[in-house]
Amino acid sequence: MPRAIYDLSFQALEGALVADGLRPIHARSLWRALHRDGAEDLTDHPDFLPPLRRWVGERVGHADGFHALRPPVHTEIASSDGLTRKYLLRLDDGQTVETVLMGYTGRHTACVSTQAGCAMGCVFCATGQMGFVRHLTAGEIVAQVQHCRAVLRADGAGNTLRNLVLMGMGEPLHNYDAVMAALEIITDRRGINLGPARVSISTVGVVPGILRLAEEQRPYRLAVSLHGATEAERSALVPASKRWPLAELIAACRSYGASTGRRIFFEWTLIAGKNDSPATAARLAELLQGIDAHVNLIPLNPTGAFDGLATSAEAVGTFQRVLQDAGFPATVRQRRGIDVAAGCGQLRAARRGE
Ligand code: SF4
């Protein structure tokens, strides 16, 4: 079976060409065609010199070579306003993952998956309820971004993909190496060239991953899903909290902030009667004292297997004000595409029974 060429870093691609007797200079043209232009068909590419054309003819699409194909779309749905589109993409082994493309005025954001399923088991999340299947490769993460860029090109929207969030299926820091390899490809200036500061890694609180991001001074935004301001409140919603307790997580965030100087975005899914009281908001503000924090409040996206309800608009406003009065920027995330099952894992869960 041919290997996905999207898995290769620039150096690895250059190495593959050199190993086949080509000069390194050809790597740049191939990289541009693949990553900047998103070409799937590399045959007779006008920018390629004859040796590279021959290499493509001999190595791309052959069993012992490479392929540059994006995963086919299994299912596609759009929100009623057409601004949010969700794709279930089929990977080489038949696994399916979700990718979401969200439109704003003049720009788009892609939300990609990093694993098929997820081992973290958050009770309100459709992916968590299906369990872990496998890690995605770097190429499978890159291919989701290329899928979104291809959709935008077909729409005539050109290169308007401005932001990337790793908030689809899976826990990105549980698949650290593949995620970092993918982000290096996605932010490479010779190719997709998405600014690192426009990439958000969302974690449920994998402490070793947060510390490693700081140690390696990775230039991405960090979003930490908290959902609870006491150990009991949090571990009832996020089982991973038993492994990385709240105190340890907050200590890791302080250390990350101190060593990188970066703001941390804390995600808080508001669930009626569980974690949406003003007293909880006050406890959260106390917990975050001393951290350069921004809190994103997300009214719950209902899933079939979790009986929690979304917080009322009034209670959302009160929660937000308590945080703001304590000096923390707090925003309420729009529930983009709630009518297209935009909470991660919901589309795959719905299609699994078919
Ligand atoms: S919310 Fe994220 S980390 Fe939690 S189960 Fe779902 S995909 Fe995994």
Side-chain angles (χ1 to χ4, degrees):
M1 181 139 172
R3 204 178 147 196
I5 205 165
Y6 283 139
D7 273 331
L8 303 186
S9 65
F10 185 85
Q11 289 74 13
L13 185 70
E14 197 176 61
L17 296 179
V18 169
D20 285 339
L22 273 76
R23 286 185 298 136
I25 194 170
H26 296 290
R28 191 174 277 259
S29 326
L30 182 52
W31 186 265
R32 279 203 199 116
L34 279 170
H35 294 292
R36 186 190 64 186
D37 307 339
E40 272 192 300
D41 183 2
L42 299 168
T43 45
D44 299 326
H45 195 284
D47 292 349
F48 293 175
L49 294 170
L52 183 55
R53 286 188 187 205
R54 274 197 299 280
W55 185 88
V56 166
E58 287 163 11
R59 300 287 280 149
V60 176
H62 296 280
D64 61 345
F66 300 97
H67 74 76
L69 303 173
R70 292 186 284 272
V73 176
H74 174 281
T75 307
E76 171 181 351
I77 49 177
S79 60
S80 45
D81 60 11
L83 293 175
T84 302
R85 282 172 283 181
K86 186 164 197 171
Y87 302 91
L88 194 59
L89 303 179
R90 187 191 295 279
L91 306 177
D92 284 347
D93 64 351
Q95 286 300 324
T96 50
V97 291
E98 296 178 0
T99 303
V100 182
L101 183 59
M102 292 165 282
Y104 302 86
T105 311
R107 66 190 170 86
H108 291 83
T109 295
C111 173
V112 301
S113 297
T114 54
Q115 296 175 318
C118 183
M120 299 296 142
C122 304
V123 299
F124 49 82
C125 166
T127 305
Q129 288 151 25
M130 76 180 66
F132 177 72
V133 182
R134 71 167 172 87
H135 293 304
L136 298 196
T137 63
E140 287 168 338
I141 299 166
V142 173
Q144 293 175 70
V145 173
Q146 289 293 10
H147 166 77
C148 292
R149 295 176 82 231
V151 167
L152 294 174
R153 282 196 299 275
D155 282 355
N159 191 13
T160 53
L161 186 67
R162 293 279 180 277
N163 296 287
L164 173 67
V165 293
L166 275 57
M167 210 176 272
M169 299 167 70
E171 161 55 59
L173 298 184
H174 184 212
N175 186 15
Y176 191 95
D177 291 333
V179 165
M180 294 307 138
L183 293 182
E184 275 172 28
I185 294 171
I186 291 162
T187 55
D188 189 297
R189 285 167 179 261
R190 296 161 290 199
I192 298 171
N193 191 21
L194 201 67
R198 295 181 171 276
V199 174
S200 296
I201 298 174
S202 175
T203 178
V204 78
V206 177
V207 165
I210 294 172
L211 297 175
R212 198 170 157 195
L213 285 172
E215 191 188 321
E216 296 173 0
Q217 291 290 317
R218 297 281 177 178
Y220 313 114
R221 285 160 69 123
L222 175 65
V224 176
S225 297
L226 269 188
H227 313 313
T230 63
E231 193 54 59
E233 194 175 64
R234 181 167 144 84
S235 46
L237 296 169
V238 181
S241 194
K242 297 193 177 87
R243 184 149 176 210
W244 298 291
L246 186 59
E248 208 180 299
L249 172 59
I250 294 297
C253 291
R254 285 187 198 287
S255 156
Y256 174 93
S259 109
T260 64
R262 290 179 195 284
R263 169 168 286 190
I264 302 177
F265 295 79
F266 288 94
E267 310 280 316
W268 190 277
T269 297
L270 284 161
I271 305 167
K274 292 215 189 293
N275 66 355
D276 65 343
S277 70
T280 302
R283 271 201 306 275
L284 172 60
E286 202 167 311
L287 194 67
L288 299 181
Q289 280 308 320
I291 299 180
D292 182 4
H294 181 122
V295 182
N296 278 321
L297 301 171
I298 310 149
L300 178 75
N301 241 339
T303 71
F306 178 59
D307 58 6
L309 297 173
T311 296
S312 70
E314 197 190 340
V316 171
T318 307
F319 199 97
Q320 183 182 24
R321 268 193 305 281
V322 172
L323 291 170
Q324 288 171 336
D325 290 347
F328 291 101
T331 43
V332 181
R333 185 171 306 146
Q334 293 168 274
R335 286 202 286 174
R336 296 295 303 257
I338 188 161
D339 51 341
V340 294
C344 90
Q346 291 183 27
L347 179 56
R348 176 174 150 142
R351 288 292 175 273
R352 203 159 46 151
E354 291 177 359

